[in-house]
Amino acid sequence: MFLKSISLTNFRQFGIKDNGDPAITVVFNPSFNILVGENDAGKTAIIDSIRYLLGSVSDEFDKITQDDFHCFSKDLYCDYFYIEGIFANLSDLEAGTFLEWLSFDDQNNYELRVSLRVEKKKNENGQEFIDRKIQAGHKSYESRLDNQAKNLLKTTYLKPLRDASNELKPGFRSRLAQILKAHPAFKNSADGSTHLLVEAMEEANQKIEGYFKEEYTDGHSLVQDLESLLSGFYDSNDQSKSKSRFSVSRTDLASILRKLSLDTENINLGLGNLNLLFIATELLLMKNNSEDKIIIGPQITLIEEIEAHLHTQAQIRLIKYLEEELEDANNENQFILTSHSPNLVASVDPKNIILIDSKIAYPLSEEYTELEESDYAFLERFLDSTKSNLFFAKGIIFVEGDSEMLFLPALAKLIGYPLHKYGVSLVNVRGTSFERYIKLFSRSELWLTDMKSPPINIPISIITDVDIKPKIYYTSENIVKPVYSIKNIEELEQVLIYCEENTEDIVADQIGIEYSSLKSLAKDFCLTYFEQNIEHINQIVKKEITPEYILTNSQEKISLLQNKYSKYNANLKVHISPEWTLEYCLSKSVLAPLLLEAIHEVRYKNPYTGIKKRLFDEQMAELANASEIVAYKIFKPVNDKLVSKAEVAQGLAIKINQIMKDRTKGEELKQKVLADNNLLYLVDAIIHAAVATDILEGIKI
């Protein structure tokens, strides 16, 4: 059995919905779960709610405090909170064990519902106390859960910010003692009467007691000397009180365990290695799932901030170890973890991630997203640590490449929306594979209807190039010949009428690409027998380069991209360059002089000497007469790959940041940028990701 879901009402930051439903319901995977989200999203509250409901096998007492009750306004707290957990996939033996509280789900499968209601009450003397009631069963006939059943539901818990060194030291509140006491090696002899350690300690005590009773000189022993002194302190009737004996320790098992410490043979271990030792010790509390032992009840392990004190590779090794453990068919453990580490999140299967945002828990498993199996495989390969920042962001901007990645932070800062201050993650997908990432944030029909939950409200911007060459390109490069292109699926279907292929057999990646000849187009599309029908096919794919053709092509491309993403219910806006590429738009904008400088400095080693200086001055002078010809001349070294796009973008960003050091000049440039239509799509993308909060219109729950 496993914890299928947990619901919280009036617990910490989670209040109650207007219709009386719990503020949040978290749906878990049967084996591995990792809760992610920004700080104060509620990850710790979810972990603690499970502990409060089920307890831990180390028997730590969880004291309920005022802060556990939801604060609905300043200094005004609710007088109760309610936690409800649902267990699924019960075996017949488990169903029999929990028979008194058993219920059934909609498919008539076994289900166990457990609830905790904590309420502030007053006794007859007017003193306030906390009433804590754990019950189980269907809501209509729930009853108190007895201690034997509670023990079967307990979790293993690793607290955050672990002080591993102190936790593994001896003491009255020794964590190590609690862990060992719960282990099967000690559990069966909890009274200490026959345990080997108890016998060893009794033997040690006897030897030590005997040593101090031995006579050391003149017929005296240490015990006799001490008793002789004590006897003078008591009257004749209390002489028995002067009797004493030396011993090492009490011989009950709990006292023995509290005096143990744990360390490795290596000395002077750092926090990270001590933390790994502590985690390994804590995992001893997991129930032993051996073949000859039948386990009853869930095997839940809760780990907060698993990455604490661990470097990146250690984090990944640890998380991979846990995942591999769960791949064992006999392993029925359920891990529920929290993390703030993009490195760690990048190394796990996206299906196991639960995103906490706006007080809603969004599982990213296949039934609740638009992702398909191939999409998960793609994300596992390409969702690296830099991209995984998106799970901890208030807003996301997806971009095509390094140019946007390097340039946008400076532009955002210039217009007053520094990305880091607004919690916006900039994600470079290194291409145009935005759709797979958008599916990650798009909810399935099951989520929207059956679960009656809203879509993810994190604002997302896509910045992409229209990638349609302007007329000036063809004029400047003296390209007068027509091009050959299949612009859309409709044109492809028309072409295939004159060939043998079916539409489903054609890889449509080449749609929209312009070719210099029909033969090149046919080769890429794998078309056969096209030569017998050249005249008909030419009428479809042959394009004369006219301003009308370019305009129509651009409009169709923009419409195609907008429609492509409109079907997803993510809080998404697509921002497309008004012309060709980012760099070409920059060359036509108010940032053209800075772009020219950046290109010139990247292209030449000594850019402002001799003929290079004269060339720069001539181009800078031409900017006074802004035209498409001048813009293309600035952009041409980029298009011809004479300079690195990334280096140019970085240089441009540096220049913008330098200008902003002068407030007057910075404000002047800001106003020019905000009024420039060539840059409007970038400005809109930044603002949407930084401040948009409304769920997409038309989504009704």
Side-chain angles (χ1 to χ4, degrees):
M1 62 189 290
F2 69 93
L3 182 62
K4 178 183 176 182
S5 67
I6 194 159
S7 302
L8 311 181
T9 302
N10 290 336
F11 183 68
R12 297 189 186 169
Q13 63 260 60
F14 302 108
I16 188 171
K17 291 183 178 177
D18 292 339
N19 61 1
D21 287 345
I24 186 172
T25 296
V26 188
V27 180
F28 297 108
N29 296 311
S31 55
F32 198 85
N33 305 267
I34 181 162
L35 306 178
V36 301
E38 59 176 324
N39 288 334
D40 298 322
K43 301 185 292 294
T44 295
I46 293 167
I47 294 292
D48 285 348
S49 70
I50 300 172
R51 291 197 301 117
Y52 284 12
L53 178 66
L54 305 178
S56 64
V57 292
S58 58
D59 289 327
E60 285 186 295
F61 178 72
D62 297 312
K63 184 179 179 181
I64 305 295
T65 67
Q66 175 84 325
D67 290 337
D68 290 322
F69 296 85
H70 179 65
C71 180
F72 52 86
S73 64
K74 187 178 180 181
D75 297 328
L76 292 176
Y77 292 83
C78 296
D79 56 8
Y80 82 97
F81 68 78
Y82 187 75
I83 300 169
E84 177 186 87
I86 305 293
F87 291 91
N89 199 37
L90 280 73
S91 66
D92 290 340
L93 182 58
E94 288 169 332
T97 303
F98 296 101
L99 182 62
E100 182 180 344
W101 305 279
L102 199 65
S103 56
F104 299 89
D105 62 17
D106 295 338
Q107 286 76 43
N108 289 323
N109 297 313
Y110 296 135
E111 190 174 83
L112 176 65
R113 175 185 167 276
V114 181
S115 68
L116 166 66
R117 184 179 178 90
V118 177
E119 194 170 357
K120 297 175 186 174
K121 291 185 177 180
K122 289 185 178 181
N123 60 22
E124 290 80 359
N125 296 325
Q127 297 171 320
E128 190 174 271
F129 68 97
I130 300 293
D131 182 51
R132 185 170 181 166
K133 184 185 296 182
I134 297 180
Q135 294 185 295
H138 192 276
K139 270 191 176 182
S140 303
Y141 49 86
E142 63 182 351
S143 59
R144 187 181 69 85
L145 192 67
D146 64 32
N147 288 331
Q148 183 177 355
K150 288 179 187 176
N151 284 330
L152 294 173
L153 298 176
K154 287 184 176 180
T155 68
T156 299
Y157 171 63
L158 276 74
K159 67 179 79 171
L161 300 175
R162 298 172 282 278
D163 185 354
S165 179
N166 286 328
E167 297 283 8
L168 298 175
K169 285 182 179 178
F172 181 75
R173 298 185 180 276
S174 167
R175 176 69 177 154
L176 179 61
Q178 294 173 330
I179 293 169
L180 293 176
K181 188 178 178 182
H183 193 273
F186 301 99
K187 219 168 185 179
N188 295 334
S189 303
D191 59 356
S193 58
T194 59
H195 198 278
L196 183 62
L197 284 183
V198 173
E199 293 177 359
M201 189 59 68
E202 288 176 345
E203 183 180 348
N205 272 343
Q206 288 172 4
K207 289 183 177 180
I208 291 168
E209 185 178 349
Y211 171 80
F212 285 101
K213 285 182 177 180
E214 289 181 4
E215 297 178 359
Y216 61 91
T217 182
D218 299 333
H220 289 277
S221 68
L222 285 171
V223 171
Q224 288 175 332
D225 289 347
L226 182 62
E227 289 178 350
S228 177
L229 289 170
L230 281 172
S231 65
F233 300 157
Y234 296 102
D235 59 36
S236 57
N237 294 323
D238 286 332
Q239 285 300 306
S240 62
K241 295 179 181 179
S242 65
K243 300 298 181 182
S244 60
R245 66 187 180 93
F246 286 92
S247 63
V248 174
S249 172
R250 293 174 56 186
T251 56
D252 62 285
L253 187 58
S255 296
I256 295 170
L257 295 180
R258 281 198 291 267
K259 288 186 168 47
L260 294 177
S261 63
L262 180 64
D263 205 343
T264 65
E265 293 186 0
N266 270 332
I267 60 173
N268 298 325
L269 286 180
L271 286 175
N273 287 307
L274 283 173
N275 195 34
L276 288 173
L277 178 62
F278 179 58
I279 290 174
T281 309
E282 284 278 5
L283 293 181
L284 287 173
L285 292 179
M286 290 195 303
K287 297 168 187 174
N288 182 21
N289 192 17
S290 59
E291 293 182 1
D292 59 344
K293 184 178 181 181
I294 299 174
I295 298 297
I296 299 175
Q299 301 175 69
I300 302 171
T301 301
L302 309 173
I303 308 178
E304 282 203 77
E305 297 177 18
I306 190 169
E307 69 274 11
H309 308 306
L310 300 179
H311 65 79
T312 301
Q313 289 303 318
Q315 293 174 23
I316 294 172
R317 282 196 299 270
L318 177 57
I319 206 74
K320 287 300 182 185
Y321 169 80
L322 297 179
E323 283 189 314
E324 288 167 6
E325 282 288 296
L326 295 175
E327 289 175 3
D328 183 352
N330 295 320
N331 196 324
E332 297 181 1
N333 290 306
Q334 184 181 22
F335 285 95
I336 303 173
L337 290 66
T338 70
S339 179
H340 295 102
S341 168
N343 295 300
L344 191 146
V345 173
S347 67
V348 303
D349 188 336
K351 295 177 185 177
N352 296 328
I353 296 172
I354 300 174
L355 174 64
I356 313 297
D357 179 68
S358 303
K359 298 183 180 178
I360 301 172
Y362 296 100
L364 302 185
S365 50
E366 52 263 68
E367 64 266 41
Y368 299 121
T369 71
E370 295 287 349
L371 291 165
E372 300 174 4
E373 198 61 41
S374 61
D375 298 320
Y376 282 109
F378 173 89
L379 290 172
E380 274 203 89
R381 290 194 301 272
F382 296 107
L383 196 61
D384 59 26
S385 59
T386 55
K387 298 182 182 69
S388 293
N389 279 320
L390 56 87
F391 293 118
F392 306 93
K394 284 185 167 68
I396 303 167
I397 301 176
F398 289 110
V399 297
E400 289 186 11
D402 293 333
S403 296
E404 293 88 346
M405 196 76 180
L406 294 166
F407 167 66
L408 278 179
L411 182 66
K413 185 178 179 182
L414 174 67
I415 65 173
Y417 295 94
L419 300 183
H420 65 283
K421 285 192 175 181
Y422 282 84
V424 175
S425 282
L426 195 56
V427 179
N428 180 3
V429 304
R430 301 190 182 280
T432 57
S433 301
F434 301 112
E435 196 165 12
R436 296 180 190 270
Y437 295 94
I438 298 307
K439 286 180 180 180
L440 195 61
F441 291 89
S442 185
R443 297 278 91 187
S444 66
E445 192 65 26
L446 173 65
W447 178 265
L448 297 174
T449 56
D450 293 4
M451 298 293 292
K452 296 182 175 61
S453 295
I456 298 175
N457 195 34
I458 296 174
I460 300 172
S461 290
I462 290 177
I463 295 178
T464 188
D465 294 333
V466 69
D467 276 329
I468 303 295
K469 296 181 180 70
K471 180 64 177 175
I472 190 64
Y473 164 76
Y474 298 99
T475 303
S476 299
E477 301 299 330
N478 199 27
I479 299 174
V480 294
K481 293 181 180 179
V483 295
Y484 298 84
S485 175
I486 297 176
K487 294 194 298 182
N488 49 47
I489 292 293
E490 289 74 20
E491 283 194 358
L492 178 60
E493 290 174 344
Q494 293 175 35
V495 168
L496 293 178
I497 293 173
Y498 303 101
C499 303
E500 288 195 346
E501 289 75 21
N502 295 317
T503 307
E504 57 269 20
D505 297 328
I506 298 294
V507 179
D509 293 349
Q510 290 81 15
I511 286 179
I513 294 177
E514 295 177 351
Y515 295 89
S516 59
S517 69
L518 178 57
K519 188 174 182 179
S520 299
L521 181 148
K523 181 181 178 182
D524 270 15
F525 277 90
C526 300
L527 302 177
T528 56
Y529 298 105
F530 73 94
E531 292 179 349
Q532 289 90 327
N533 297 286
I534 282 181
E535 186 177 342
H536 295 289
I537 295 175
N538 262 335
Q539 290 178 2
I540 302 169
V541 302
K542 186 176 180 181
K543 319 291 185 185
E544 297 293 339
I545 306 301
T546 64
E548 292 74 23
Y549 163 74
I550 293 170
L551 178 61
T552 302
N553 220 10
S554 295
Q555 291 173 340
E556 288 181 355
K557 179 71 175 290
I558 291 171
S559 178
L560 180 68
L561 287 171
Q562 295 287 2
N563 291 336
K564 180 179 182 180
Y565 296 106
S566 63
K567 61 184 177 182
Y568 297 111
N569 53 47
N571 188 358
L572 169 70
K573 287 188 177 180
V574 183
H575 307 269
I576 306 165
S577 64
E579 294 193 65
W580 202 355
T581 68
L582 166 70
E583 291 81 7
Y584 185 69
C585 289
L586 289 172
S587 72
K588 296 185 69 175
S589 75
V590 295
L591 297 177
L594 299 179
L595 178 66
L596 174 59
E597 287 181 18
I599 292 172
H600 195 73
E601 290 168 6
V602 170
R603 186 175 182 182
Y604 301 112
K605 188 174 182 180
N606 299 302
Y608 302 115
T609 60
I611 193 171
K612 298 166 191 172
K613 173 71 164 60
R614 189 164 62 252
L615 176 63
F616 173 77
D617 290 340
E618 288 173 358
Q619 286 187 294
M620 192 62 75
E622 288 177 343
L623 280 174
N625 301 315
S627 68
E628 288 195 341
I629 296 175
V630 175
Y632 181 68
K633 284 179 68 176
I634 294 172
F635 171 66
K636 184 173 170 57
V638 176
N639 190 49
D640 292 346
K641 296 183 172 58
L642 299 176
V643 293
S644 162
K645 284 185 176 183
E647 289 183 50
V648 169
Q650 185 180 34
L652 179 59
I654 291 171
K655 292 180 183 301
I656 291 173
N657 286 326
Q658 287 173 340
I659 289 173
M660 281 190 286
K661 292 178 181 179
D662 185 316
R663 284 191 178 181
T664 303
K665 291 181 179 178
E667 182 62 27
E668 182 182 342
L669 183 59
K670 171 185 174 180
Q671 296 307 322
K672 288 180 179 179
V673 165
L674 293 174
D676 194 325
N677 287 332
N678 294 292
L679 303 174
L680 182 60
Y681 79 109
L682 299 173
V683 171
D684 286 348
I686 292 167
I687 293 175
H688 173 72
V691 300
T693 55
D694 295 331
I695 295 176
L696 288 177
E697 294 181 5
I699 302 294
K700 297 186 183 297
I701 303 300

